């Protein structure tokens, strides 16, 4: 059933190639963004899971909002 539907689509073989190129472009973009981050920004982001002040602020918003 699925193979019949896919075979009826014109130029279906292009979609996996386009999808792979989009994935590679997104992956390369994230890698470049990661390497261009400044050290103080990386340190701030690394402390986010352990930052209690952010968690208490979020909980306060949930109780009031």
């Amino acid at each position: 059933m699925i193979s019949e539907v896919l075979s009826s689509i014109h130029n279906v073989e292009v979609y996996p190639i386009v999808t792979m190129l989009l994935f590679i472009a997104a992956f390369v973009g994230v890698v470049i963004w990661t390497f261009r981050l400044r050290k103080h920004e990386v340190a701030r982001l690394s402390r986010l899971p352990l930052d209690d002040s952010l968690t208490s602020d979020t909980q306060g918003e949930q109780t009031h909002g």
Side-chain angles (χ1 to χ4, degrees), residues 51-65:
D51 192 4
D52 288 337
S53 64
L54 182 63
T55 304
S56 63
D57 290 343
T58 305
Q59 289 174 350
E61 290 177 5
Q62 289 177 351
T63 57
H64 296 295

Side-chain angles (χ1 to χ4, degrees), residues 6-22:
L6 290 176
S7 65
S8 67
I9 299 173
H10 184 66
N11 290 334
V12 71
E13 64 274 0
V14 174
Y15 295 119
I17 296 169
V18 170
T19 304
M20 179 62 95
L21 291 176
L22 288 174

Side-chain angles (χ1 to χ4, degrees), residues 37-57:
L37 281 175
R38 294 192 172 112
K39 288 187 179 190
H40 66 83
E41 186 69 19
V42 172
R44 184 185 71 81
L45 292 174
S46 69
R47 288 190 306 266
L48 280 177
L50 304 175
D51 192 4
D52 288 337
S53 64
L54 182 63
T55 304
S56 63
D57 290 343

